[in-house]
Amino acid sequence: MRFVFLGPPGVGKGTQAKGFAAQRGIAHISTGDMLRDAVKNGTPAGLKAKPIMEAGGLVPDDVVLEMVGERLEYEDAKPGFILDGYPRNPKQAEDLRVMLEQRGLALDHVVAFELDVEAIVPRLSGRRSCPQCGAVYHVAANPPKRAGVCDKCDTGLIQRKDDQPEVIRDRMKTYAEKTEPLIDYYRKAGILIPVEGAGTVEEVRGRLEAAVPVEAA
Ligand code: AMP
């Protein structure tokens, strides 16, 4: 059960990955979450990553490779994992292939979530997240019970700096130029599963469950 979840920013892959991983007892590995933690903790990788993330660019491949390599060694990743936000360019895809090969492993499926560009901006600009536990909400589509407060840990919700409209445009550009070519790469490898990302969280979850072959469960 080794998955990559691919797709443009705001497509909902993180939300889907959390539920999917919890249900199947595999690790949810989000490089965005790991980098935000590194920024919050002021680690050397975090200091390097901060200005790049705020501008909607990609953090250097070697920084992310090291983080993912360490994370794959955790016990919870042994039964399987979902990589959410990694790889993000062809070099990272090759790094990942080699890293897995060294462990005698390979990817089983790459789920590519698809969404029209017009649907992305409202999704990202309405997104709010909990700086404490990482829970993610949307002001209209998935609001917390009390406005602006996390349901799980009572912390005040924040808007990510890179969810501001100017940065959203740059992230979309980065996605189109660097990440989107991976869809073809994995299609050619015969492991791509496309999933329509429009609609509610439950609708997308239903499509995801229907699309992922039973033998992968
Ligand atoms: P995300 O939460 O996946 O949208 O990631 C937020 C930001 O973290 C991205 O806009 C990038 O700046 C950085 N980032 C996340 N994953 C990667 C990666 N695999 N390679 C390079 N930068 C990344």
Side-chain angles (χ1 to χ4, degrees):
M1 286 200 285
R2 288 173 289 270
F3 296 87
V4 161
F5 278 18
L6 257 185
V11 75
K13 57 186 184 304
T15 302
Q16 295 298 336
K18 271 183 201 155
F20 192 89
Q23 202 184 35
R24 287 163 199 240
I26 58 178
H28 170 216
I29 302 180
S30 157
T31 46
D33 285 350
M34 288 182 347
L35 286 164
R36 278 184 288 280
D37 271 351
V39 170
K40 199 165 77 184
N41 297 329
T43 67
L47 293 177
K48 214 185 242 183
K50 189 171 191 267
I52 301 169
M53 293 172 76
E54 286 177 359
L58 290 186
V59 173
D61 297 334
D62 57 336
V63 173
V64 197
L65 174 64
E66 195 181 327
M67 284 184 146
V68 175
E70 283 172 10
R71 183 63 184 83
L72 285 178
E73 294 304 319
Y74 286 28
E75 222 23 62
D76 68 340
K78 297 288 181 251
F81 52 79
I82 300 174
L83 289 171
D84 162 13
Y86 188 85
R88 252 179 158 95
N89 62 26
K91 168 71 168 62
Q92 293 185 7
E94 181 57 14
D95 286 347
L96 174 63
R97 193 190 63 73
V98 171
M99 181 160 51
L100 292 178
E101 197 177 72
Q102 285 166 349
R103 294 167 165 79
L105 304 173
L107 283 177
D108 295 307
H109 299 288
V110 174
V111 178
F113 293 91
E114 300 166 334
L115 189 64
D116 284 346
V117 172
E118 305 85 75
I120 289 175
V121 175
R123 283 222 189 160
L124 287 176
S125 50
R127 175 156 78 179
R128 299 291 181 274
S129 39
C130 175
Q132 188 60 38
C133 73
V136 179
Y137 302 86
H138 188 280
V139 289
N142 175 29
K145 293 196 183 75
R146 268 187 303 150
V149 181
C150 181
D151 290 348
K152 296 187 181 137
C153 69
D154 264 357
T155 306
L157 300 178
I158 55 158
Q159 182 177 35
R160 278 168 49 175
K161 275 199 186 139
D162 61 350
D163 281 345
Q164 320 275 345
E166 322 77 70
V167 188
I168 290 176
R169 274 190 296 275
D170 290 332
R171 289 168 68 202
M172 296 295 299
K173 197 161 160 260
T174 303
Y175 175 77
E177 284 174 9
K178 312 240 164 86
T179 313
E180 211 168 22
L182 295 182
I183 293 182
D184 240 21
Y185 172 87
Y186 287 122
R187 184 182 293 118
K188 285 183 185 136
I191 56 171
L192 191 84
I193 301 179
V195 172
E196 171 60 49
T200 64
V201 172
E202 287 70 29
E203 283 165 349
V204 180
R205 183 176 300 138
R207 280 184 219 125
L208 173 63
E209 294 295 339
V212 175
V214 178
E215 72 268 19

